[in-house]
Amino acid sequence: MQPVVVEAGRAFLGVVARAAELDYVAGEVTLVLLPRSALKHVDALKAMPFGLSAGPDPALDILVSHAAGLPGRTLPPALALFCESGLLGLLAFAAGPGGSLDVRSRDGRDTLYQQILLDIAANCSRHDFGVSQVAQRHKINVRTLQKMFQQHGVTLKEHLTWSRLQLAHSALADPANAAKKVSDIAFEAGFNDIATFNRLFRKSFGRTPSSLRQGSGPD
């Protein structure tokens, strides 16, 4: 088979049935491997051949950034499920309009939950996007919405905050944003208070935003 050539800084999405050969320029490559069992939740990936995605994809960039912070960490079961949901949500979003999640449920609540995860991934940077807005957009009352997330071991507010932190993490790690202030990146990711952002970022990633940008290790 012909090798797939991967350009520097390029994220791609593909399904490998048996084997694949990658050619890439000197440097580092990050592979995010998901088990085949996970792909059953994403219709667009079931018949997708191995190959490069159509072009730069913010969802894939965030997914890689998200996954890169997980190896070597021991997560509580609830947080592990939360991270898994986030990765699958980003994967489905990157798969395109045809990548609707196919999560079987008698009452449709699991499907709605996955749709809400995608909505949050796409809109979490908005400062006016909160619990009540999510409930209104999906025509569900706030109490039911909160219970839906609690059943997955996390609150909606926690998930929204984590999604914003992931956006900020990806932006801080991007050399194209080197001239931007940390406070500007935090604001663009949906945060209003820089002190709160710094505290939550360090708690979540084990390092400050500035140390991530400078490429130093955990604080």
Side-chain angles (χ1 to χ4, degrees):
M1 65 182 300
Q2 293 295 320
V4 175
V5 180
V6 182
E7 300 171 5
R10 176 79 175 276
F12 70 93
L13 178 63
V15 176
V16 181
R18 294 184 178 84
E21 181 181 345
L22 301 178
D23 278 355
Y24 57 94
V25 296
E28 297 182 353
V29 60
T30 299
L31 296 178
V32 181
L33 305 179
L34 293 175
R36 186 169 299 278
S37 59
L39 301 183
K40 67 183 180 181
H41 298 303
V42 188
D43 285 342
L45 295 182
K46 293 178 181 178
M48 181 179 176
F50 181 83
L52 294 176
S53 54
D57 192 319
L60 285 180
D61 292 338
I62 295 172
L63 187 151
V64 171
S65 177
H66 183 166
L70 297 177
R73 303 185 65 179
T74 301
L75 303 178
L79 181 56
L81 287 174
F82 173 75
C83 291
E84 178 182 335
S85 296
L87 288 172
L88 288 175
L90 289 166
L91 186 63
F93 191 88
S100 58
L101 295 177
D102 183 22
V103 182
R104 303 300 181 183
S105 173
R106 289 184 180 180
D107 56 13
R109 284 181 296 180
D110 287 341
T111 300
L112 177 59
Y113 176 71
Q114 296 293 344
Q115 291 173 348
I116 291 172
L117 291 183
L118 293 179
D119 192 26
I120 292 173
N123 294 285
C124 64
S125 63
R126 289 173 40 188
H127 289 254
D128 63 345
F129 194 76
V131 175
S132 60
Q133 286 73 26
V134 173
Q136 291 172 7
R137 288 164 66 90
H138 294 275
K139 297 179 173 59
I140 182 174
N141 66 63
V142 171
R143 183 175 177 80
T144 301
L145 180 62
Q146 297 283 26
K147 286 184 176 180
M148 181 184 294
F149 273 79
Q150 288 168 3
Q151 289 172 355
H152 288 81
V154 67
T155 67
L156 174 53
K157 184 177 180 181
E158 288 171 342
H159 182 83
L160 181 58
T161 298
W162 177 252
S163 299
R164 286 170 170 160
L165 285 169
Q166 289 295 334
L167 281 180
H169 186 285
S170 179
L172 287 165
D174 187 348
N177 295 322
K180 281 189 177 181
K181 296 180 180 178
V182 171
S183 57
D184 290 339
I185 289 177
F187 184 82
E188 290 173 359
F191 290 93
N192 292 313
D193 182 75
I194 187 62
T196 299
F197 167 71
N198 285 332
R199 176 176 57 81
L200 292 173
F201 193 96
R202 182 165 185 169
K203 181 179 179 180
S204 298
F205 301 111
R207 63 199 307 182
T208 64
S210 297
S211 70
L212 171 65
R213 167 171 279 179
Q214 295 165 3
S216 57
D219 300 324

